[in-house]
Amino acid sequence: MSARIVTLPGDGIGPEIMAAAEQLLGKVGDFELDERLVGGASIDEHGTALTDEVLDACKSADAVLLAAVGGPKWDSTDPGKPRPEQGLLGLRKGLGLFANLRPVRPSPALLDASPLRRDRIEGTDLLVVRELTGGIYFGDKGRENGSAFDTCVYSVAEIERIAEVAFRFARTKVTSVDKANILETSRLWREVVSGMAKEHDVYFEHLLVDNAAMQLLSRPVDFDVILTENMFGDILSDEAAMLTGSIGMLPSASVGSDGPGLFEPVHGSAPDIAGTGKANPLAMFGSVAMMLRYGLGRESEAVGIESAIDRALEAGLRTPDLGGDATTEDATKAVLSYL
Ligand code: NAD
């Protein structure tokens, strides 16, 4: 039976890069695609960024592929107005997506686009596994007598389920990042993850977050999976992403313990270039590869897409964000030709 994928093109360049992704999927295999509205497009049609019907369709799919949502048309400071981003949050919550995965693998042809020296990043191939629904972003917060507070809370169960994801995806090593010299939540984190490491056959280490921030720049090649809590992951994954040079290149995935994952490029809907044919579809293609690998268990097709992207770049493919003049269509044709 072919896998059923809900596709959510969204807004801005979303429909353009989703059309490219559909061409790619058409060449890779036989998939049942179920296209639905999300974000601003859904607000225009239904008055809400995510309908119950679309959420239900996502819940019963094998995977969900999203392009991007948002744009000036729906920007408003009125808290009562629906916002495109509510579609994303609704999907994360509704699908129980507590793990955010961001691979960092600079394409060999773009090594000189990184702010770091080529010899530092060459061979980097790491995955940041960030806890997405707990910690200081979700704890009690407020203001009292001229002070403000944010509370960081983690339960054993929350730590166990994210650590399980990290061990599942590790190939050689898990580096657990915390601030156990200062924070109680980090000490619990360390205790729980250390216990789990004994049951897994991969090299395991702890790093304090300040040290991890340094090591990511000084020896990125030595990392495999970086496992960390919500806020540290937010910061470290952006730091790690810069190793690759361009936002038009970065894919991501959000997964839960069971049920479908959500796969999407890191960038937004780029309203400034929507409709011009200038959108770089490569982050979207990378997200399709992640969907095949982590969402559908089809590793060889995922690798096929990633190497087709690398080969197209090696042959000189450059969209405007990479300093060239290739259109979305040119980029799609180039990648398809190397599949
Ligand atoms: P953005 O990522 O959309 O764009 C930032 C810059 O990068 C722009 O100059 C854009 O042209 C360029 N860019 C982004 N993706 C590109 C691509 N694939 N190819 C070529 N150039 C690309 O961020 P923004 O401008 O801050 O936000 C625009 C809208 O997107 C906002 O409404 C924002 O809320 C939304 N947004 C959505 C998501 C998402 O859907 N996950 C993420 C971030 C922002």
PDB file of all heavy atoms in Angstrom, residues 168-186:
ATOM      1  N   ARG A 168      17.461   6.642  19.309  1.00  0.00           N
ATOM      2  CA  ARG A 168      16.934   5.955  18.119  1.00  0.00           C
ATOM      3  C   ARG A 168      17.656   6.429  16.853  1.00  0.00           C
ATOM      4  O   ARG A 168      17.952   5.663  15.956  1.00  0.00           O
ATOM      5  CB  ARG A 168      15.431   6.228  18.012  1.00  0.00           C
ATOM      6  CG  ARG A 168      14.733   5.303  17.050  1.00  0.00           C
ATOM      7  CD  ARG A 168      13.237   5.607  16.831  1.00  0.00           C
ATOM      8  NE  ARG A 168      12.503   6.281  17.875  1.00  0.00           N
ATOM      9  CZ  ARG A 168      11.537   7.173  17.641  1.00  0.00           C
ATOM     10  NH1 ARG A 168      11.204   7.495  16.411  1.00  0.00           N
ATOM     11  NH2 ARG A 168      10.886   7.737  18.643  1.00  0.00           N
ATOM     12  N   PHE A 169      17.950   7.727  16.781  1.00  0.00           N
ATOM     13  CA  PHE A 169      18.523   8.273  15.554  1.00  0.00           C
ATOM     14  C   PHE A 169      20.051   8.330  15.554  1.00  0.00           C
ATOM     15  O   PHE A 169      20.660   8.681  14.548  1.00  0.00           O
ATOM     16  CB  PHE A 169      17.947   9.664  15.265  1.00  0.00           C
ATOM     17  CG  PHE A 169      16.476   9.621  14.910  1.00  0.00           C
ATOM     18  CD1 PHE A 169      15.597  10.559  15.409  1.00  0.00           C
ATOM     19  CD2 PHE A 169      15.980   8.632  14.069  1.00  0.00           C
ATOM     20  CE1 PHE A 169      14.236  10.517  15.092  1.00  0.00           C
ATOM     21  CE2 PHE A 169      14.636   8.572  13.740  1.00  0.00           C
ATOM     22  CZ  PHE A 169      13.759   9.522  14.253  1.00  0.00           C
ATOM     23  N   ALA A 170      20.674   7.990  16.682  1.00  0.00           N
ATOM     24  CA  ALA A 170      22.133   8.076  16.753  1.00  0.00           C
ATOM     25  C   ALA A 170      22.779   6.993  15.915  1.00  0.00           C
ATOM     26  O   ALA A 170      22.303   5.863  15.877  1.00  0.00           O
ATOM     27  CB  ALA A 170      22.591   7.959  18.199  1.00  0.00           C
ATOM     28  N   ARG A 171      23.857   7.351  15.235  1.00  0.00           N
ATOM     29  CA  ARG A 171      24.619   6.354  14.495  1.00  0.00           C
ATOM     30  C   ARG A 171      25.859   5.968  15.285  1.00  0.00           C
ATOM     31  O   ARG A 171      26.208   4.809  15.388  1.00  0.00           O
ATOM     32  CB  ARG A 171      25.010   6.895  13.122  1.00  0.00           C
ATOM     33  CG  ARG A 171      23.823   6.906  12.159  1.00  0.00           C
ATOM     34  CD  ARG A 171      24.111   7.727  10.941  1.00  0.00           C
ATOM     35  NE  ARG A 171      24.414   9.097  11.348  1.00  0.00           N
ATOM     36  CZ  ARG A 171      24.580  10.113  10.504  1.00  0.00           C
ATOM     37  NH1 ARG A 171      24.493   9.906   9.215  1.00  0.00           N
ATOM     38  NH2 ARG A 171      24.829  11.319  10.950  1.00  0.00           N
ATOM     39  N   THR A 172      26.561   6.976  15.821  1.00  0.00           N
ATOM     40  CA  THR A 172      27.804   6.663  16.525  1.00  0.00           C
ATOM     41  C   THR A 172      27.824   7.188  17.954  1.00  0.00           C
ATOM     42  O   THR A 172      28.479   6.628  18.819  1.00  0.00           O
ATOM     43  CB  THR A 172      29.002   7.296  15.790  1.00  0.00           C
ATOM     44  OG1 THR A 172      28.745   8.696  15.646  1.00  0.00           O
ATOM     45  CG2 THR A 172      29.192   6.671  14.423  1.00  0.00           C
ATOM     46  N   LYS A 173      27.116   8.312  18.198  1.00  0.00           N
ATOM     47  CA  LYS A 173      27.325   8.968  19.490  1.00  0.00           C
ATOM     48  C   LYS A 173      26.139   9.842  19.855  1.00  0.00           C
ATOM     49  O   LYS A 173      25.499  10.431  18.977  1.00  0.00           O
ATOM     50  CB  LYS A 173      28.579   9.848  19.344  1.00  0.00           C
ATOM     51  CG  LYS A 173      28.912  10.663  20.563  1.00  0.00           C
ATOM     52  CD  LYS A 173      30.353  11.139  20.513  1.00  0.00           C
ATOM     53  CE  LYS A 173      30.494  12.486  19.881  1.00  0.00           C
ATOM     54  NZ  LYS A 173      31.816  13.090  20.080  1.00  0.00           N
ATOM     55  N   VAL A 174      25.830   9.946  21.146  1.00  0.00           N
ATOM     56  CA  VAL A 174      24.867  10.930  21.635  1.00  0.00           C
ATOM     57  C   VAL A 174      25.601  11.877  22.583  1.00  0.00           C
ATOM     58  O   VAL A 174      26.276  11.432  23.509  1.00  0.00           O
ATOM     59  CB  VAL A 174      23.685  10.268  22.385  1.00  0.00           C
ATOM     60  CG1 VAL A 174      22.815  11.328  23.070  1.00  0.00           C
ATOM     61  CG2 VAL A 174      22.834   9.444  21.424  1.00  0.00           C
ATOM     62  N   THR A 175      25.486  13.166  22.316  1.00  0.00           N
ATOM     63  CA  THR A 175      26.029  14.174  23.220  1.00  0.00           C
ATOM     64  C   THR A 175      24.851  14.855  23.899  1.00  0.00           C
ATOM     65  O   THR A 175      24.052  15.529  23.242  1.00  0.00           O
ATOM     66  CB  THR A 175      26.844  15.234  22.442  1.00  0.00           C
ATOM     67  OG1 THR A 175      27.867  14.570  21.696  1.00  0.00           O
ATOM     68  CG2 THR A 175      27.459  16.254  23.380  1.00  0.00           C
ATOM     69  N   SER A 176      24.692  14.653  25.187  1.00  0.00           N
ATOM     70  CA  SER A 176      23.583  15.270  25.910  1.00  0.00           C
ATOM     71  C   SER A 176      24.066  16.595  26.483  1.00  0.00           C
ATOM     72  O   SER A 176      25.094  16.663  27.155  1.00  0.00           O
ATOM     73  CB  SER A 176      23.111  14.336  27.027  1.00  0.00           C
ATOM     74  OG  SER A 176      22.111  14.978  27.776  1.00  0.00           O
ATOM     75  N   VAL A 177      23.320  17.670  26.183  1.00  0.00           N
ATOM     76  CA  VAL A 177      23.749  19.014  26.570  1.00  0.00           C
ATOM     77  C   VAL A 177      22.835  19.553  27.664  1.00  0.00           C
ATOM     78  O   VAL A 177      21.609  19.521  27.534  1.00  0.00           O
ATOM     79  CB  VAL A 177      23.721  19.947  25.338  1.00  0.00           C
ATOM     80  CG1 VAL A 177      24.005  21.384  25.745  1.00  0.00           C
ATOM     81  CG2 VAL A 177      24.736  19.470  24.301  1.00  0.00           C
ATOM     82  N   ASP A 178      23.443  20.030  28.758  1.00  0.00           N
ATOM     83  CA  ASP A 178      22.654  20.564  29.867  1.00  0.00           C
ATOM     84  C   ASP A 178      23.449  21.634  30.595  1.00  0.00           C
ATOM     85  O   ASP A 178      24.506  22.060  30.134  1.00  0.00           O
ATOM     86  CB  ASP A 178      22.260  19.424  30.823  1.00  0.00           C
ATOM     87  CG  ASP A 178      23.470  18.742  31.441  1.00  0.00           C
ATOM     88  OD1 ASP A 178      24.478  19.433  31.725  1.00  0.00           O
ATOM     89  OD2 ASP A 178      23.436  17.511  31.620  1.00  0.00           O
ATOM     90  N   LYS A 179      22.942  22.052  31.740  1.00  0.00           N
ATOM     91  CA  LYS A 179      23.670  23.016  32.587  1.00  0.00           C
ATOM     92  C   LYS A 179      23.590  22.475  34.008  1.00  0.00           C
ATOM     93  O   LYS A 179      23.065  23.116  34.932  1.00  0.00           O
ATOM     94  CB  LYS A 179      23.014  24.404  32.436  1.00  0.00           C
ATOM     95  CG  LYS A 179      23.766  25.536  33.085  1.00  0.00           C
ATOM     96  CD  LYS A 179      25.054  25.905  32.373  1.00  0.00           C
ATOM     97  CE  LYS A 179      25.775  27.022  33.094  1.00  0.00           C
ATOM     98  NZ  LYS A 179      27.166  27.205  32.623  1.00  0.00           N
ATOM     99  N   ALA A 180      24.094  21.218  34.143  1.00  0.00           N
ATOM    100  CA  ALA A 180      23.916  20.479  35.394  1.00  0.00           C
ATOM    101  C   ALA A 180      24.723  21.056  36.557  1.00  0.00           C
ATOM    102  O   ALA A 180      24.471  20.709  37.710  1.00  0.00           O
ATOM    103  CB  ALA A 180      24.277  19.007  35.178  1.00  0.00           C
ATOM    104  N   ASN A 181      25.689  21.939  36.266  1.00  0.00           N
ATOM    105  CA  ASN A 181      26.432  22.555  37.368  1.00  0.00           C
ATOM    106  C   ASN A 181      25.603  23.647  38.063  1.00  0.00           C
ATOM    107  O   ASN A 181      25.951  24.109  39.133  1.00  0.00           O
ATOM    108  CB  ASN A 181      27.770  23.118  36.870  1.00  0.00           C
ATOM    109  CG  ASN A 181      27.608  24.051  35.676  1.00  0.00           C
ATOM    110  OD1 ASN A 181      26.565  24.022  35.008  1.00  0.00           O
ATOM    111  ND2 ASN A 181      28.585  24.876  35.402  1.00  0.00           N
ATOM    112  N   ILE A 182      24.490  24.056  37.453  1.00  0.00           N
ATOM    113  CA  ILE A 182      23.689  25.156  38.000  1.00  0.00           C
ATOM    114  C   ILE A 182      22.221  24.762  38.203  1.00  0.00           C
ATOM    115  O   ILE A 182      21.616  25.099  39.209  1.00  0.00           O
ATOM    116  CB  ILE A 182      23.693  26.379  37.031  1.00  0.00           C
ATOM    117  CG1 ILE A 182      25.123  26.780  36.659  1.00  0.00           C
ATOM    118  CG2 ILE A 182      22.888  27.532  37.600  1.00  0.00           C
ATOM    119  CD1 ILE A 182      25.854  27.611  37.677  1.00  0.00           C
ATOM    120  N   LEU A 183      21.623  24.080  37.208  1.00  0.00           N
ATOM    121  CA  LEU A 183      20.167  23.913  37.192  1.00  0.00           C
ATOM    122  C   LEU A 183      19.720  22.533  37.686  1.00  0.00           C
ATOM    123  O   LEU A 183      20.271  21.517  37.270  1.00  0.00           O
ATOM    124  CB  LEU A 183      19.631  24.109  35.765  1.00  0.00           C
ATOM    125  CG  LEU A 183      19.899  25.473  35.112  1.00  0.00           C
ATOM    126  CD1 LEU A 183      19.407  25.463  33.667  1.00  0.00           C
ATOM    127  CD2 LEU A 183      19.215  26.584  35.894  1.00  0.00           C
ATOM    128  N   GLU A 184      18.683  22.538  38.532  1.00  0.00           N
ATOM    129  CA  GLU A 184      18.144  21.284  39.054  1.00  0.00           C
ATOM    130  C   GLU A 184      17.516  20.439  37.930  1.00  0.00           C
ATOM    131  O   GLU A 184      17.662  19.216  37.889  1.00  0.00           O
ATOM    132  CB  GLU A 184      17.109  21.586  40.148  1.00  0.00           C
ATOM    133  CG  GLU A 184      16.857  20.423  41.087  1.00  0.00           C
ATOM    134  CD  GLU A 184      18.136  19.846  41.710  1.00  0.00           C
ATOM    135  OE1 GLU A 184      18.998  20.622  42.176  1.00  0.00           O
ATOM    136  OE2 GLU A 184      18.268  18.608  41.733  1.00  0.00           O
ATOM    137  N   THR A 185      16.805  21.121  37.006  1.00  0.00           N
ATOM    138  CA  THR A 185      16.204  20.366  35.890  1.00  0.00           C
ATOM    139  C   THR A 185      17.301  19.674  35.085  1.00  0.00           C
ATOM    140  O   THR A 185      17.126  18.559  34.590  1.00  0.00           O
ATOM    141  CB  THR A 185      15.410  21.293  34.933  1.00  0.00           C
ATOM    142  OG1 THR A 185      16.114  22.505  34.765  1.00  0.00           O
ATOM    143  CG2 THR A 185      14.017  21.566  35.447  1.00  0.00           C
ATOM    144  N   SER A 186      18.460  20.322  34.962  1.00  0.00           N
ATOM    145  CA  SER A 186      19.568  19.721  34.222  1.00  0.00           C
ATOM    146  C   SER A 186      20.136  18.515  34.966  1.00  0.00           C
ATOM    147  O   SER A 186      20.577  17.546  34.350  1.00  0.00           O
ATOM    148  CB  SER A 186      20.688  20.743  33.995  1.00  0.00           C
ATOM    149  OG  SER A 186      20.391  21.592  32.916  1.00  0.00           O
TER     150      SER A 186
END
